[in-house]
Amino acid sequence: MVWSDQEIIRLSAQFVTVADEVYMLYPEDPGNLNRVKDDPAHLFFKKFGESMPPGDWNHPGTKQGIYMMGPNGEYLEGKFAAASNPADIQARLRRAIQRWDALRQSKGYANSPIPAVKATYPPDVSGELIFRVNSRDLPRGAGDRSGRRITEAERTSNAFMDFTKWAWNETWVGVAKTQSFVPDSGGTGAVPISVARSIARIALLDNVRGQNPEWRDQDIKNIAIRMKVVRDSNGSQVIEYTGSAQITDGNKSFSATCYGEGVYDSKAGKFSRLDLVWLGMRGGAAQFNQRANDRGPAPMGVTMSLFNE
């Protein structure tokens, strides 16, 4: 993908980068478009889009893309579905910087240093434990090329040439209390079933290739996460986690086993590290997760890693 290109990384450091769900800014269906017609965010993005060259602004239709704009929505550069050609994005970034230099002089804008910010998590995720979750297809045999985002048979153009080499997705899940992952004084226990079911509903999804709605509570047929202190040195506890899950809604499914390890400081009451890995077989397809031609069963992995600010 273009963001791993070193020159693009260097050039993009001159911009304040923002990511958003573009459907919320510019819906495609008339009902939702009418709902946001007076929304300042929609009007801002619409003004910018209407100043773009027609071939770079996809209208009508979805608006996913890479866009470079001034503080009042002025067009600097941009292109719909532009995540596959590093040379093209490099050229657009350079043009955007040149246009910005001319724009700021004509309008009296002032360059300001771009502040460094710490990595964080989405604002709708909360809890004392925040996990970054990644899903990934796994090889099905020697020489297997599973893990491609779009298979050779599914590809209809060159638009996906670069990022077809990758097949992973990311989400986040919060756990309200740290103690949910700490065994009792006997050194053994289980993660509360309500917490385990919440993790299953949000995290144990086949969203490797695209969107997949959360599981419903009735889809979670079985889940358990057991924990045991395997080493305790002056209050620093190494905790081992094992578990399993069986989830299905009749159309799609995921059955997996879990292994994890955490390092917990009982004096400070916090984890310095906590990681879980779920490995198993997924099957079926959701509407938007691009499994219509790859329904499985096939191996998939999900990792959960504690996010420490």
Side-chain angles (χ1 to χ4, degrees):
M1 296 176 71
V2 297
W3 301 116
S4 62
D5 181 272
Q6 291 300 308
E7 181 63 9
I8 289 175
I9 292 172
R10 186 187 71 80
L11 291 168
S12 63
Q14 299 184 53
F15 296 81
V16 176
T17 55
V18 178
D20 204 345
E21 172 50 73
V22 43
Y23 181 82
M24 304 303 292
L25 294 173
Y26 207 129
E28 300 164 51
D29 62 285
N32 279 307
L33 192 56
N34 184 65
R35 177 179 56 81
V36 302
K37 63 182 176 61
D38 297 320
D39 186 284
H42 167 70
L43 294 173
F44 182 90
F45 189 54
K46 181 173 184 286
K47 172 189 172 184
F48 168 79
E50 290 173 348
S51 66
M52 290 180 63
D56 291 342
W57 178 246
N58 188 48
H59 190 78
T62 182
K63 302 293 188 289
Q64 286 98 335
I66 297 173
Y67 304 108
M68 296 148 242
M69 61 186 72
N72 287 303
E74 297 95 343
Y75 168 75
L76 299 178
E77 252 300 345
K79 190 176 189 302
F80 163 74
S84 62
N85 188 335
D88 177 62
I89 294 303
Q90 283 185 29
R92 291 177 186 274
L93 284 166
R94 293 191 183 97
R95 288 197 296 269
I97 292 168
Q98 292 174 351
R99 288 170 179 153
W100 165 246
D101 286 337
L103 178 67
R104 68 183 179 86
Q105 292 178 36
S106 67
K107 291 196 173 183
Y109 291 150
N111 272 346
S112 297
I114 297 175
V117 295
K118 292 182 178 179
T120 187
Y121 48 86
D124 60 335
V125 178
S126 62
E128 293 180 356
L129 298 177
I130 304 294
F131 289 96
R132 185 198 302 267
V133 182
N134 290 108
S135 59
R136 184 76 194 247
D137 280 351
L138 300 175
R140 306 177 202 192
D144 180 64
R145 301 188 73 189
S146 298
R148 297 179 66 86
R149 192 171 178 92
I150 305 293
T151 66
E152 295 285 353
E154 292 167 320
R155 183 184 297 139
T156 57
S157 71
N158 290 331
F160 295 105
M161 285 299 287
D162 246 7
F163 84 95
T164 55
K165 300 172 185 175
W166 304 89
W168 65 274
N169 213 332
E170 180 176 275
T171 189
W172 299 81
V173 63
V175 173
K177 297 296 182 182
T178 298
Q179 291 301 311
S180 295
F181 275 79
V182 181
D184 59 24
S185 57
T188 62
V191 172
I193 189 63
S194 60
V195 174
R197 293 180 74 86
S198 178
I199 287 171
R201 188 173 64 253
I202 299 169
L204 301 187
L205 296 171
D206 176 14
N207 61 358
V208 171
R209 295 185 177 187
Q211 296 174 347
N212 196 349
E214 292 181 5
W215 296 108
R216 301 167 302 172
D217 192 63
Q218 62 263 37
D219 300 333
I220 305 167
K221 307 308 179 185
N222 181 53
I223 185 166
I225 306 173
R226 296 167 292 277
M227 48 190 176
K228 179 175 67 174
V229 176
V230 295
R231 189 164 66 252
D232 190 338
S233 176
N234 195 29
S236 178
Q237 299 178 337
V238 177
I239 305 171
E240 180 184 77
Y241 302 87
T242 57
S244 61
Q246 287 82 40
I247 312 169
T248 181
D249 64 2
N251 295 313
K252 56 187 187 297
S253 64
F254 184 48
S255 296
T257 57
C258 172
Y259 178 81
E261 189 175 276
V263 177
Y264 177 69
D265 185 336
S266 60
K267 296 178 181 178
K270 62 185 298 184
F271 283 91
S272 61
R273 178 172 60 83
L274 179 53
D275 301 284
L276 291 90
V277 178
W278 297 84
L279 301 175
M281 303 295 284
R282 55 92 184 163
Q287 184 176 4
F288 297 116
N289 74 340
Q290 300 189 63
R291 294 296 196 187
N293 297 321
D294 187 15
R295 301 179 67 89
M300 184 183 79
V302 176
T303 63
M304 299 172 53
S305 298
L306 182 67
F307 179 83
N308 281 319
E309 296 181 76

